Amino acid sequence: MDFSLTPDQQQIRDAIFKLCEPFDDDYWLKKDKAGGFPEDFYKAVADQGWLGIAMPESVGGAGLGITEAALMMQAISESGGGMSGASAVHLNIFGLNPVVVFGTEDQKTRMLPPLIRGEDKACFAVTEPDAGLNTTGLKTFAERKSDRYIVRGQKIWITTAQVASKMLLLARTTPYDELTKKTDGLSLFYTDFDRSKVEVREIPKMGRSAVDSNMLFFDGLEIPVENRIGAEGKGFQQILHGLNPERILIAAEAIGLGRAALRKASAYARERVVFGRPIGQNQGIQHPLAKCWAELEAANLMTFKAASLYDNGKECGAEANAAKYLAAEAAFHACETAILTHGGMGYAKEYHVERYMRESWIPRIAPVSMQLILSFIAEKVLGQPKSY
Amino acid sequence: MKVLVPVKRVVDYNVKIRVKSDQTGVDLANVKMSMNPFDEIAIEEAVRLKEAGKATEVVAVSIGVAQSTETIRTALAMGADRGILVKSDETVEPLNVAKILKGIVEAEKPDLVILGKQAIDDDSNQTGQMLAALLGWAQGTFASKIEFDGDKILLTREIDGGLQTLKLNMPTIVTADLRLNEPRYASLPNIMKAKKKPIDEKTPADYGVDVKARLEVLKVTEPPQRQAGIKVESVEQLVSKLKEAGVIG
């Protein structure tokens, strides 16, 4: 067991930190206040070829694993970009994996290179108001009409739908009550975001205002049949394929955010002098910081264990879920501790930790709740009866 | 035009150095190592010459332990074409580095060698000058700007009180100062390409150089802790304190 990064992996981390240098805390503070997609940051990432990190070399990617992708996303977040920086590119890193795995050669060459070059931005339209984690209960319907599908329905919590030019859409193609197997009947599409047929409403939210979250209302969106990925009715299985990598990336991003918060808190504790000595000399300040470090690094080990299992083609469901759970909680504690270490200043926006705190709620809630993760582990690892 | 750029593996500039308890040197165990920042500037300049169509090939050389390959890979990811590793587990002193580089220059026949002006570990600032002397080539040290004037180089260097411009005959030795350029960071496609670029492995003996140390390090110590200062009430008090300290007469 060698826990150290390879020189290549270290180089990826270093290169991302350098790339992120111009996009410092003040940049993200401004974005948080004013909103608006971080286009210049996105362009820098795309121009340097990073969006293709986990895509096959045949379509212009780097062909690296989820381990490297996680390192990249963690470094973006850790640089101070937090979930704003990470979410701006997150979906383009691994979201299109179903196209890589299930797409035809024509689809791969048509869909992936423009995404890697940063010309297309994709959003991921899965969750619905009446079906969150219960994906097989999706209602948005894509009705087949000769060589195309016509989509009607709604989606919620669709990230970057304000700026996306493409969408990966999961929609029902067979009514639920006509199914013999309830996990069938959903199909996956990657298609143009035709705004004349899809109304997009942004959801005002607690944090990460630079990267939008939206409600989508589909009213007759037309999708040519050649934009369906894989077989009709097998969309759920295709989406499942990408869930573990998704959790691993989110976990890595959360740890990056927690480290950023801990870095700020540690610096402040060293510099802030009260009663004639730095507050960091008090164990009441030191110990919570040290505890955060321990929690973050433990979560990091689980995250990269899951990534390593995935890259070696092994089952990683329990580890990927545990990593997401541990990382989200550790990041949250780190942000909370960072604010408490700063005292009143922690509540002021210019010290950045309150922004981190608001963003740390995202990995706690998305893409799956802590409770469902615990139910999953209880069932799959500990052999308890299924509870949901 | 072929450009040779030596790159050194040193303790990363962000790392807080610790002296070994037996005072024989600096603790390198589990310390992050990177390319010497001035060498990054040298590589960047060479790659820019290549991109401008002036250089045809950029060769990166590193002399040191096996892990110096990583430093060469960084240079390759920035845009160098191939690498040469001269492997040595000994500490190679500047004169020996210059002798090995002389051997490489004779084998590779570059038109230009760009070095960092100094390495941030020993701060010797000797290798470039010694290499120029051994080769009998012109040298332009502490370059802050490099331009071409026909087959000559116009080199700007920062000196006390202003800028000095030298006209150098080729082939020549240039050492890079901080303001020559701002090195790029490697893009992902270039990191991937760098893995496939060739690195030759040599030893000092291949160039007939014995790397035995000529200098003996007596001891390495931490700089003395700075003492806290005092606050003075007035200019008069300041002057008298300075007189007391013997700083002014």
mmCIF file of all heavy atoms in Angstrom, chain B residues 92-137:
data_model
loop_
_atom_site.group_PDB
_atom_site.id
_atom_site.type_symbol
_atom_site.label_atom_id
_atom_site.label_comp_id
_atom_site.label_asym_id
_atom_site.label_seq_id
_atom_site.Cartn_x
_atom_site.Cartn_y
_atom_site.Cartn_z
ATOM 1 N N VAL B 92 26.772 17.101 -6.758
ATOM 2 C CA VAL B 92 27.669 17.533 -7.834
ATOM 3 C C VAL B 92 27.882 19.042 -7.715
ATOM 4 O O VAL B 92 26.931 19.820 -7.802
ATOM 5 C CB VAL B 92 27.084 17.167 -9.214
ATOM 6 C CG1 VAL B 92 28.114 17.434 -10.307
ATOM 7 C CG2 VAL B 92 26.664 15.699 -9.247
ATOM 8 N N GLU B 93 29.132 19.431 -7.475
ATOM 9 C CA GLU B 93 29.443 20.853 -7.267
ATOM 10 C C GLU B 93 29.424 21.610 -8.599
ATOM 11 O O GLU B 93 29.602 21.014 -9.662
ATOM 12 C CB GLU B 93 30.821 20.978 -6.616
ATOM 13 C CG GLU B 93 30.805 20.473 -5.178
ATOM 14 C CD GLU B 93 32.196 20.379 -4.582
ATOM 15 O OE1 GLU B 93 33.186 20.629 -5.302
ATOM 16 O OE2 GLU B 93 32.295 20.049 -3.398
ATOM 17 N N PRO B 94 29.227 22.943 -8.537
ATOM 18 C CA PRO B 94 29.075 23.735 -9.767
ATOM 19 C C PRO B 94 30.163 23.476 -10.811
ATOM 20 O O PRO B 94 29.853 23.341 -11.999
ATOM 21 C CB PRO B 94 29.127 25.177 -9.258
ATOM 22 C CG PRO B 94 28.581 25.100 -7.883
ATOM 23 C CD PRO B 94 29.027 23.765 -7.333
ATOM 24 N N LEU B 95 31.431 23.363 -10.403
ATOM 25 C CA LEU B 95 32.483 23.160 -11.409
ATOM 26 C C LEU B 95 32.300 21.820 -12.123
ATOM 27 O O LEU B 95 32.470 21.725 -13.338
ATOM 28 C CB LEU B 95 33.873 23.232 -10.753
ATOM 29 C CG LEU B 95 35.043 23.041 -11.726
ATOM 30 C CD1 LEU B 95 35.016 24.095 -12.837
ATOM 31 C CD2 LEU B 95 36.385 23.102 -10.986
ATOM 32 N N ASN B 96 31.917 20.802 -11.340
ATOM 33 C CA ASN B 96 31.695 19.499 -11.969
ATOM 34 C C ASN B 96 30.459 19.508 -12.862
ATOM 35 O O ASN B 96 30.441 18.865 -13.915
ATOM 36 C CB ASN B 96 31.582 18.408 -10.905
ATOM 37 C CG ASN B 96 32.926 18.142 -10.242
ATOM 38 O OD1 ASN B 96 33.972 18.320 -10.881
ATOM 39 N ND2 ASN B 96 32.907 17.747 -8.990
ATOM 40 N N VAL B 97 29.425 20.241 -12.430
ATOM 41 C CA VAL B 97 28.238 20.399 -13.278
ATOM 42 C C VAL B 97 28.658 21.052 -14.596
ATOM 43 O O VAL B 97 28.298 20.585 -15.681
ATOM 44 C CB VAL B 97 27.160 21.264 -12.575
ATOM 45 C CG1 VAL B 97 26.021 21.592 -13.547
ATOM 46 C CG2 VAL B 97 26.619 20.550 -11.356
ATOM 47 N N ALA B 98 29.483 22.102 -14.493
ATOM 48 C CA ALA B 98 29.928 22.814 -15.703
ATOM 49 C C ALA B 98 30.743 21.887 -16.602
ATOM 50 O O ALA B 98 30.602 21.917 -17.832
ATOM 51 C CB ALA B 98 30.729 24.050 -15.312
ATOM 52 N N LYS B 99 31.582 21.027 -15.994
ATOM 53 C CA LYS B 99 32.383 20.098 -16.807
ATOM 54 C C LYS B 99 31.492 19.087 -17.528
ATOM 55 O O LYS B 99 31.712 18.773 -18.705
ATOM 56 C CB LYS B 99 33.382 19.354 -15.913
ATOM 57 C CG LYS B 99 34.565 20.221 -15.460
ATOM 58 C CD LYS B 99 35.472 19.392 -14.566
ATOM 59 C CE LYS B 99 36.644 20.213 -14.050
ATOM 60 N NZ LYS B 99 37.374 19.497 -12.985
ATOM 61 N N ILE B 100 30.491 18.571 -16.809
ATOM 62 C CA ILE B 100 29.566 17.616 -17.450
ATOM 63 C C ILE B 100 28.806 18.314 -18.583
ATOM 64 O O ILE B 100 28.682 17.776 -19.690
ATOM 65 C CB ILE B 100 28.571 17.037 -16.415
ATOM 66 C CG1 ILE B 100 29.321 16.164 -15.406
ATOM 67 C CG2 ILE B 100 27.475 16.231 -17.105
ATOM 68 C CD1 ILE B 100 28.484 15.746 -14.212
ATOM 69 N N LEU B 101 28.334 19.532 -18.303
ATOM 70 C CA LEU B 101 27.592 20.280 -19.329
ATOM 71 C C LEU B 101 28.471 20.547 -20.545
ATOM 72 O O LEU B 101 28.004 20.504 -21.683
ATOM 73 C CB LEU B 101 27.051 21.598 -18.757
ATOM 74 C CG LEU B 101 25.926 21.463 -17.727
ATOM 75 C CD1 LEU B 101 25.540 22.839 -17.185
ATOM 76 C CD2 LEU B 101 24.692 20.778 -18.337
ATOM 77 N N LYS B 102 29.771 20.800 -20.298
ATOM 78 C CA LYS B 102 30.684 21.018 -21.411
ATOM 79 C C LYS B 102 30.701 19.770 -22.310
ATOM 80 O O LYS B 102 30.624 19.869 -23.536
ATOM 81 C CB LYS B 102 32.094 21.303 -20.879
ATOM 82 C CG LYS B 102 33.155 21.454 -21.971
ATOM 83 C CD LYS B 102 34.498 21.860 -21.370
ATOM 84 C CE LYS B 102 35.572 22.039 -22.434
ATOM 85 N NZ LYS B 102 36.342 20.806 -22.680
ATOM 86 N N GLY B 103 30.763 18.598 -21.652
ATOM 87 C CA GLY B 103 30.738 17.345 -22.402
ATOM 88 C C GLY B 103 29.464 17.203 -23.223
ATOM 89 O O GLY B 103 29.489 16.788 -24.386
ATOM 90 N N ILE B 104 28.335 17.583 -22.606
ATOM 91 C CA ILE B 104 27.046 17.478 -23.308
ATOM 92 C C ILE B 104 27.002 18.467 -24.475
ATOM 93 O O ILE B 104 26.529 18.131 -25.567
ATOM 94 C CB ILE B 104 25.876 17.713 -22.335
ATOM 95 C CG1 ILE B 104 25.840 16.582 -21.303
ATOM 96 C CG2 ILE B 104 24.543 17.796 -23.075
ATOM 97 C CD1 ILE B 104 24.847 16.767 -20.191
ATOM 98 N N VAL B 105 27.511 19.666 -24.247
ATOM 99 C CA VAL B 105 27.529 20.676 -25.316
ATOM 100 C C VAL B 105 28.369 20.169 -26.491
ATOM 101 O O VAL B 105 27.978 20.308 -27.655
ATOM 102 C CB VAL B 105 28.075 22.024 -24.793
ATOM 103 C CG1 VAL B 105 28.421 22.963 -25.956
ATOM 104 C CG2 VAL B 105 27.064 22.679 -23.866
ATOM 105 N N GLU B 106 29.504 19.526 -26.186
ATOM 106 C CA GLU B 106 30.346 19.023 -27.276
ATOM 107 C C GLU B 106 29.653 17.905 -28.052
ATOM 108 O O GLU B 106 29.810 17.782 -29.265
ATOM 109 C CB GLU B 106 31.696 18.557 -26.713
ATOM 110 C CG GLU B 106 32.602 19.763 -26.452
ATOM 111 C CD GLU B 106 33.772 19.466 -25.514
ATOM 112 O OE1 GLU B 106 33.860 18.313 -25.009
ATOM 113 O OE2 GLU B 106 34.581 20.381 -25.281
ATOM 114 N N ALA B 107 28.843 17.108 -27.344
ATOM 115 C CA ALA B 107 28.129 16.027 -28.022
ATOM 116 C C ALA B 107 26.911 16.540 -28.783
ATOM 117 O O ALA B 107 26.619 16.113 -29.889
ATOM 118 C CB ALA B 107 27.701 14.976 -26.997
ATOM 119 N N GLU B 108 26.177 17.488 -28.179
ATOM 120 C CA GLU B 108 24.902 17.939 -28.753
ATOM 121 C C GLU B 108 25.061 19.126 -29.697
ATOM 122 O O GLU B 108 24.184 19.376 -30.518
ATOM 123 C CB GLU B 108 23.931 18.328 -27.622
ATOM 124 C CG GLU B 108 23.478 17.157 -26.747
ATOM 125 C CD GLU B 108 22.412 16.321 -27.443
ATOM 126 O OE1 GLU B 108 21.781 16.834 -28.388
ATOM 127 O OE2 GLU B 108 22.245 15.150 -27.056
ATOM 128 N N LYS B 109 26.135 19.864 -29.542
ATOM 129 C CA LYS B 109 26.393 21.052 -30.359
ATOM 130 C C LYS B 109 25.209 22.031 -30.427
ATOM 131 O O LYS B 109 24.717 22.365 -31.522
ATOM 132 C CB LYS B 109 26.797 20.632 -31.781
ATOM 133 C CG LYS B 109 27.996 19.688 -31.789
ATOM 134 C CD LYS B 109 28.747 19.723 -33.070
ATOM 135 C CE LYS B 109 30.029 18.953 -33.083
ATOM 136 N NZ LYS B 109 30.407 18.182 -31.884
ATOM 137 N N PRO B 110 24.746 22.517 -29.289
ATOM 138 C CA PRO B 110 23.685 23.537 -29.308
ATOM 139 C C PRO B 110 24.267 24.893 -29.705
ATOM 140 O O PRO B 110 25.479 25.102 -29.605
ATOM 141 C CB PRO B 110 23.203 23.573 -27.856
ATOM 142 C CG PRO B 110 24.396 23.176 -27.050
ATOM 143 C CD PRO B 110 25.177 22.207 -27.907
ATOM 144 N N ASP B 111 23.400 25.800 -30.164
ATOM 145 C CA ASP B 111 23.833 27.160 -30.504
ATOM 146 C C ASP B 111 23.681 28.089 -29.316
ATOM 147 O O ASP B 111 24.228 29.183 -29.294
ATOM 148 C CB ASP B 111 22.976 27.692 -31.662
ATOM 149 C CG ASP B 111 23.003 26.738 -32.833
ATOM 150 O OD1 ASP B 111 23.999 26.754 -33.564
ATOM 151 O OD2 ASP B 111 22.042 25.954 -32.979
ATOM 152 N N LEU B 112 22.864 27.632 -28.374
ATOM 153 C CA LEU B 112 22.559 28.488 -27.233
ATOM 154 C C LEU B 112 22.322 27.590 -26.019
ATOM 155 O O LEU B 112 21.651 26.564 -26.123
ATOM 156 C CB LEU B 112 21.285 29.299 -27.555
ATOM 157 C CG LEU B 112 20.685 30.215 -26.493
ATOM 158 C CD1 LEU B 112 21.662 31.322 -26.110
ATOM 159 C CD2 LEU B 112 19.378 30.816 -27.004
ATOM 160 N N VAL B 113 22.921 27.977 -24.877
ATOM 161 C CA VAL B 113 22.607 27.293 -23.623
ATOM 162 C C VAL B 113 21.982 28.331 -22.701
ATOM 163 O O VAL B 113 22.575 29.380 -22.457
ATOM 164 C CB VAL B 113 23.864 26.693 -22.953
ATOM 165 C CG1 VAL B 113 23.476 25.939 -21.679
ATOM 166 C CG2 VAL B 113 24.601 25.772 -23.913
ATOM 167 N N ILE B 114 20.755 28.057 -22.235
ATOM 168 C CA ILE B 114 20.121 28.974 -21.285
ATOM 169 C C ILE B 114 20.061 28.268 -19.930
ATOM 170 O O ILE B 114 19.517 27.164 -19.826
ATOM 171 C CB ILE B 114 18.695 29.384 -21.713
ATOM 172 C CG1 ILE B 114 18.678 29.863 -23.173
ATOM 173 C CG2 ILE B 114 18.161 30.470 -20.787
ATOM 174 C CD1 ILE B 114 17.296 30.282 -23.663
ATOM 175 N N LEU B 115 20.636 28.895 -18.917
ATOM 176 C CA LEU B 115 20.608 28.330 -17.568
ATOM 177 C C LEU B 115 19.876 29.307 -16.653
ATOM 178 O O LEU B 115 19.798 30.493 -16.937
ATOM 179 C CB LEU B 115 22.033 28.146 -17.011
ATOM 180 C CG LEU B 115 23.040 27.332 -17.813
ATOM 181 C CD1 LEU B 115 23.819 28.233 -18.749
ATOM 182 C CD2 LEU B 115 24.003 26.604 -16.870
ATOM 183 N N GLY B 116 19.362 28.791 -15.537
ATOM 184 C CA GLY B 116 18.907 29.693 -14.489
ATOM 185 C C GLY B 116 20.135 30.381 -13.918
ATOM 186 O O GLY B 116 21.222 29.811 -13.927
ATOM 187 N N LYS B 117 19.977 31.627 -13.435
ATOM 188 C CA LYS B 117 21.182 32.337 -12.977
ATOM 189 C C LYS B 117 21.782 31.662 -11.755
ATOM 190 O O LYS B 117 22.981 31.725 -11.525
ATOM 191 C CB LYS B 117 20.877 33.799 -12.695
ATOM 192 C CG LYS B 117 19.975 34.043 -11.498
ATOM 193 C CD LYS B 117 19.996 35.516 -11.098
ATOM 194 C CE LYS B 117 19.086 35.736 -9.896
ATOM 195 N NZ LYS B 117 19.094 37.123 -9.445
ATOM 196 N N GLN B 118 20.938 31.014 -10.958
ATOM 197 C CA GLN B 118 21.446 30.278 -9.806
ATOM 198 C C GLN B 118 20.368 29.308 -9.364
ATOM 199 O O GLN B 118 19.211 29.436 -9.749
ATOM 200 C CB GLN B 118 21.817 31.224 -8.666
ATOM 201 C CG GLN B 118 20.634 31.930 -8.028
ATOM 202 C CD GLN B 118 21.088 33.100 -7.173
ATOM 203 O OE1 GLN B 118 21.658 34.071 -7.660
ATOM 204 N NE2 GLN B 118 20.836 33.010 -5.887
ATOM 205 N N ALA B 119 20.773 28.319 -8.541
ATOM 206 C CA ALA B 119 19.789 27.406 -7.976
ATOM 207 C C ALA B 119 19.446 27.898 -6.583
ATOM 208 O O ALA B 119 20.313 28.417 -5.873
ATOM 209 C CB ALA B 119 20.358 25.995 -7.928
ATOM 210 N N ILE B 120 18.162 27.720 -6.200
ATOM 211 C CA ILE B 120 17.741 28.296 -4.921
ATOM 212 C C ILE B 120 18.170 27.439 -3.732
ATOM 213 O O ILE B 120 17.924 27.804 -2.598
ATOM 214 C CB ILE B 120 16.217 28.542 -4.873
ATOM 215 C CG1 ILE B 120 15.452 27.225 -5.056
ATOM 216 C CG2 ILE B 120 15.808 29.568 -5.910
ATOM 217 C CD1 ILE B 120 13.985 27.333 -4.680
ATOM 218 N N ASP B 121 18.828 26.298 -3.979
ATOM 219 C CA ASP B 121 19.270 25.512 -2.818
ATOM 220 C C ASP B 121 20.644 25.970 -2.306
ATOM 221 O O ASP B 121 20.808 26.306 -1.151
ATOM 222 C CB ASP B 121 19.243 24.005 -3.109
ATOM 223 C CG ASP B 121 19.949 23.626 -4.398
ATOM 224 O OD1 ASP B 121 20.480 24.520 -5.086
ATOM 225 O OD2 ASP B 121 19.975 22.424 -4.719
ATOM 226 N N ASP B 122 21.658 26.022 -3.196
ATOM 227 C CA ASP B 122 22.976 26.450 -2.717
ATOM 228 C C ASP B 122 23.311 27.896 -3.103
ATOM 229 O O ASP B 122 24.327 28.439 -2.661
ATOM 230 C CB ASP B 122 24.074 25.504 -3.213
ATOM 231 C CG ASP B 122 24.132 25.423 -4.733
ATOM 232 O OD1 ASP B 122 23.560 26.320 -5.399
ATOM 233 O OD2 ASP B 122 24.732 24.477 -5.268
ATOM 234 N N ASP B 123 22.460 28.518 -3.944
ATOM 235 C CA ASP B 123 22.666 29.918 -4.342
ATOM 236 C C ASP B 123 24.077 30.196 -4.860
ATOM 237 O O ASP B 123 24.619 31.284 -4.653
ATOM 238 C CB ASP B 123 22.358 30.865 -3.166
ATOM 239 C CG ASP B 123 20.869 31.213 -3.104
ATOM 240 O OD1 ASP B 123 20.175 31.019 -4.127
ATOM 241 O OD2 ASP B 123 20.410 31.665 -2.050
ATOM 242 N N SER B 124 24.700 29.225 -5.524
ATOM 243 C CA SER B 124 26.096 29.409 -5.923
ATOM 244 C C SER B 124 26.275 30.466 -7.013
ATOM 245 O O SER B 124 27.192 31.260 -6.972
ATOM 246 C CB SER B 124 26.681 28.087 -6.424
ATOM 247 O OG SER B 124 26.810 27.184 -5.364
ATOM 248 N N ASN B 125 25.386 30.435 -8.019
ATOM 249 C CA ASN B 125 25.517 31.378 -9.136
ATOM 250 C C ASN B 125 26.895 31.247 -9.794
ATOM 251 O O ASN B 125 27.653 32.206 -9.885
ATOM 252 C CB ASN B 125 25.251 32.799 -8.613
ATOM 253 C CG ASN B 125 25.320 33.847 -9.720
ATOM 254 O OD1 ASN B 125 25.531 33.511 -10.889
ATOM 255 N ND2 ASN B 125 25.155 35.095 -9.363
ATOM 256 N N GLN B 126 27.245 30.027 -10.182
ATOM 257 C CA GLN B 126 28.566 29.791 -10.758
ATOM 258 C C GLN B 126 28.523 29.011 -12.064
ATOM 259 O O GLN B 126 29.375 29.198 -12.927
ATOM 260 C CB GLN B 126 29.429 28.981 -9.763
ATOM 261 C CG GLN B 126 29.741 29.749 -8.493
ATOM 262 C CD GLN B 126 30.440 28.891 -7.455
ATOM 263 O OE1 GLN B 126 30.404 27.657 -7.521
ATOM 264 N NE2 GLN B 126 31.070 29.538 -6.499
ATOM 265 N N THR B 127 27.524 28.093 -12.180
ATOM 266 C CA THR B 127 27.583 27.107 -13.251
ATOM 267 C C THR B 127 27.646 27.749 -14.636
ATOM 268 O O THR B 127 28.470 27.368 -15.471
ATOM 269 C CB THR B 127 26.382 26.154 -13.160
ATOM 270 O OG1 THR B 127 26.397 25.570 -11.851
ATOM 271 C CG2 THR B 127 26.454 25.062 -14.196
ATOM 272 N N GLY B 128 26.766 28.723 -14.887
ATOM 273 C CA GLY B 128 26.725 29.348 -16.204
ATOM 274 C C GLY B 128 28.050 29.987 -16.574
ATOM 275 O O GLY B 128 28.589 29.769 -17.675
ATOM 276 N N GLN B 129 28.596 30.738 -15.636
ATOM 277 C CA GLN B 129 29.856 31.436 -15.889
ATOM 278 C C GLN B 129 30.996 30.442 -16.111
ATOM 279 O O GLN B 129 31.832 30.620 -17.011
ATOM 280 C CB GLN B 129 30.188 32.349 -14.699
ATOM 281 C CG GLN B 129 29.221 33.520 -14.502
ATOM 282 C CD GLN B 129 28.019 33.161 -13.620
ATOM 283 O OE1 GLN B 129 27.581 32.004 -13.578
ATOM 284 N NE2 GLN B 129 27.472 34.153 -12.928
ATOM 285 N N MET B 130 31.042 29.393 -15.280
ATOM 286 C CA MET B 130 32.105 28.389 -15.437
ATOM 287 C C MET B 130 31.987 27.666 -16.776
ATOM 288 O O MET B 130 32.996 27.404 -17.436
ATOM 289 C CB MET B 130 32.026 27.361 -14.301
ATOM 290 C CG MET B 130 32.505 27.897 -12.963
ATOM 291 S SD MET B 130 32.192 26.668 -11.691
ATOM 292 C CE MET B 130 33.194 27.329 -10.357
ATOM 293 N N LEU B 131 30.752 27.364 -17.171
ATOM 294 C CA LEU B 131 30.541 26.667 -18.448
ATOM 295 C C LEU B 131 31.042 27.532 -19.605
ATOM 296 O O LEU B 131 31.712 27.043 -20.524
ATOM 297 C CB LEU B 131 29.061 26.322 -18.622
ATOM 298 C CG LEU B 131 28.675 25.645 -19.935
ATOM 299 C CD1 LEU B 131 29.392 24.298 -20.091
ATOM 300 C CD2 LEU B 131 27.164 25.444 -20.022
ATOM 301 N N ALA B 132 30.733 28.835 -19.544
ATOM 302 C CA ALA B 132 31.197 29.756 -20.594
ATOM 303 C C ALA B 132 32.727 29.759 -20.657
ATOM 304 O O ALA B 132 33.326 29.717 -21.742
ATOM 305 C CB ALA B 132 30.663 31.163 -20.330
ATOM 306 N N ALA B 133 33.358 29.774 -19.479
ATOM 307 C CA ALA B 133 34.821 29.797 -19.444
ATOM 308 C C ALA B 133 35.413 28.502 -20.004
ATOM 309 O O ALA B 133 36.350 28.529 -20.810
ATOM 310 C CB ALA B 133 35.299 30.024 -18.017
ATOM 311 N N LEU B 134 34.815 27.371 -19.589
ATOM 312 C CA LEU B 134 35.341 26.078 -20.059
ATOM 313 C C LEU B 134 35.196 25.942 -21.572
ATOM 314 O O LEU B 134 36.055 25.384 -22.253
ATOM 315 C CB LEU B 134 34.598 24.917 -19.376
ATOM 316 C CG LEU B 134 34.862 24.718 -17.878
ATOM 317 C CD1 LEU B 134 33.969 23.612 -17.337
ATOM 318 C CD2 LEU B 134 36.329 24.367 -17.633
ATOM 319 N N LEU B 135 34.090 26.475 -22.115
ATOM 320 C CA LEU B 135 33.848 26.351 -23.552
ATOM 321 C C LEU B 135 34.539 27.461 -24.350
ATOM 322 O O LEU B 135 34.686 27.363 -25.560
ATOM 323 C CB LEU B 135 32.334 26.417 -23.843
ATOM 324 C CG LEU B 135 31.506 25.199 -23.460
ATOM 325 C CD1 LEU B 135 30.023 25.541 -23.520
ATOM 326 C CD2 LEU B 135 31.817 24.017 -24.367
ATOM 327 N N GLY B 136 34.915 28.527 -23.655
ATOM 328 C CA GLY B 136 35.460 29.686 -24.344
ATOM 329 C C GLY B 136 34.403 30.434 -25.136
ATOM 330 O O GLY B 136 34.678 31.043 -26.159
ATOM 331 N N TRP B 137 33.133 30.362 -24.644
ATOM 332 C CA TRP B 137 32.026 31.037 -25.316
ATOM 333 C C TRP B 137 31.747 32.381 -24.649
ATOM 334 O O TRP B 137 32.143 32.630 -23.504
ATOM 335 C CB TRP B 137 30.740 30.197 -25.215
ATOM 336 C CG TRP B 137 30.695 28.987 -26.082
ATOM 337 C CD1 TRP B 137 31.725 28.412 -26.763
ATOM 338 C CD2 TRP B 137 29.534 28.179 -26.325
ATOM 339 N NE1 TRP B 137 31.290 27.302 -27.421
ATOM 340 C CE2 TRP B 137 29.947 27.128 -27.175
ATOM 341 C CE3 TRP B 137 28.201 28.233 -25.928
ATOM 342 C CZ2 TRP B 137 29.065 26.150 -27.620
ATOM 343 C CZ3 TRP B 137 27.328 27.262 -26.367
ATOM 344 C CH2 TRP B 137 27.764 26.228 -27.216
#
